[in-house]
């Protein structure tokens, strides 16, 4: 693993920890972290009231390369939908209301929580 890949993985874990703490403060119940299947991974799966929420966390140190949420492009959104669909079938939660959120982290602060991001 290269240094940059190691840094990105470490930074991602740190960003996810910040996001989890933020969501818990908002009374979300965290069900899964780093859920993965053969299609891909979802950073956080949580419940917000009666809604199942699939959360993508994007962390950046600066805004030099744009806002973190801009990295959740159409291709990434479709992949997250496919991973979520497998999760719902596997966990027998097909009848739950669901949504996809994005949590943007800048440095060590939550920049924005975008509910129903896509």
């Amino acid at each position: 693993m290269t240094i940059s890949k190691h840094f990105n993985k470490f930074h991602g874990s740190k960003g996810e920890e910040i996001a989890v703490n933020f969501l818990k403060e908002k009374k979300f119940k965290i069900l899964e972290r780093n859920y993965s299947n053969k299609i891909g991974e979802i950073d956080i799966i949580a419940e917000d009231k009666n809604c199942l929420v699939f959360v993508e966390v994007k962390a950046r140190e600066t805004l030099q390369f744009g806002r973190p949420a801009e990295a959740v492009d159409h291709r990434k959104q479709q992949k997250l939908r496919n991973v979520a669909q497998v999760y719902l079938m596997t966990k027998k939660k097909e009848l739950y209301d669901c949504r996809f959120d994005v949590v943007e982290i800048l440095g060590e602060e939550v920049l924005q929580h975008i509910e129903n991001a896509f």
Side-chain angles (χ1 to χ4, degrees):
M1 179 180 294
T2 66
I3 292 172
S4 62
K5 284 185 180 177
H6 178 71
F7 174 78
N8 289 338
K9 183 161 179 63
F10 172 76
H11 190 265
S13 298
K14 189 173 188 178
E16 287 171 18
E17 191 64 37
I18 292 167
V20 163
N21 291 334
F22 173 81
L23 294 170
K24 284 181 177 178
E25 286 178 17
K26 291 181 74 172
K27 306 297 185 212
F28 282 54
K29 179 181 176 186
I30 306 303
L31 303 177
E32 305 260 358
R33 291 181 65 179
N34 300 308
Y35 168 81
S36 64
N37 58 39
K38 63 183 178 180
I39 299 170
E41 179 181 316
I42 295 178
D43 296 327
I44 301 167
I45 301 173
E47 282 183 4
D48 179 26
K49 300 175 186 74
N50 294 323
C51 186
L52 199 57
V53 184
F54 299 96
V55 182
E56 179 68 9
V57 178
K58 287 297 177 191
R60 300 281 186 269
E61 287 296 324
T62 70
L63 294 176
Q64 180 179 358
F65 298 106
R67 294 188 64 94
E70 292 171 357
V72 186
D73 60 13
H74 178 72
R75 186 183 323 176
K76 180 67 174 178
Q77 291 172 17
Q78 190 57 49
K79 189 171 192 173
L80 291 168
R81 285 183 189 104
N82 292 339
V83 175
Q85 187 174 21
V86 171
Y87 175 84
L88 292 169
M89 290 185 308
T90 303
K91 302 291 183 172
K92 303 205 182 320
K93 295 182 183 268
E94 296 99 329
L95 300 178
Y96 277 60
D97 288 333
C98 301
R99 72 172 196 250
F100 292 87
D101 291 4
V102 175
V103 174
E104 290 186 305
I105 309 288
L106 185 64
E108 298 202 13
E109 299 293 321
V110 173
L111 187 61
Q112 183 174 208
H113 174 205
I114 307 166
E115 294 184 16
N116 282 314
F118 55 92

